[in-house]
Amino acid sequence: QVQLVESGGGLVQPGGSLTLSCAASGFSFSSYAMRWYRQAPGKEREFVARIPAVTGYSTTYADSLKGRFTISRDNAKNTAYLQMNSLKPEDTAVYYCSAALPGANTVYWGQGTQVTVSS
């Protein structure tokens, strides 16, 4: 069974930090590019970050998040991460991870984890 399970969300004060995890199983994790997306209430899903399948290749971030968010992966643990710093109330959203095999059509999605930034 293919699974992506996000964790690490919660309530944090503005200016604080959180690290989200995405645990993968049921597929060859190291062959897949990983992405994070988020969706705030009443808004469309938006791209957050991408890390290629090949360790050491360039990562990609939404322009508005560069310098605050960092995506990483640990292939030995079949896990992707999103380190979020200097959090703002507008970062409040459900955060989703996804996996895609480069050059293929199959994309997997997790169920999401809630991040709430509030004082």
Side-chain angles (χ1 to χ4, degrees), residues 71-93:
I71 189 171
S72 62
R73 67 192 298 161
D74 186 339
N75 288 343
K77 297 181 178 179
N78 287 351
T79 302
Y81 304 93
L82 183 69
Q83 175 67 48
M84 305 184 294
N85 299 320
S86 301
L87 284 164
K88 306 173 182 179
E90 52 263 44
D91 294 321
T92 295

Side-chain angles (χ1 to χ4, degrees), residues 39-78:
Q39 187 166 24
K43 299 181 66 176
E44 296 182 349
R45 183 186 66 182
E46 66 175 335
F47 170 77
V48 172
R50 176 187 185 270
I51 186 166
V54 179
T55 301
Y57 275 23
S58 297
T59 54
T60 303
Y61 299 92
D63 287 342
S64 63
L65 302 178
K66 290 180 179 177
R68 294 198 299 121
F69 287 18
T70 303
I71 189 171
S72 62
R73 67 192 298 161
D74 186 339
N75 288 343
K77 297 181 178 179
N78 287 351

Side-chain angles (χ1 to χ4, degrees), residues 2-9 18-30 32-37 49-51 70-84 95-100 107-113 115:
V2 171
Q3 286 194 69
L4 293 172
V5 181
E6 300 95 336
S7 62
L18 281 176
T19 299
L20 306 182
S21 298
C22 176
S25 60
F27 64 98
S28 183
F29 176 79
S30 63
Y32 283 70
M34 298 297 297
R35 293 176 173 88
W36 286 95
Y37 293 84
R50 176 187 185 270
I51 186 166
T70 303
I71 189 171
S72 62
R73 67 192 298 161
D74 186 339
N75 288 343
K77 297 181 178 179
N78 287 351
T79 302
Y81 304 93
L82 183 69
Q83 175 67 48
M84 305 184 294
Y95 284 72
Y96 301 90
C97 70
S98 69
V107 178
Y108 303 128
W109 288 91
Q111 63 184 358
T113 185
V115 173

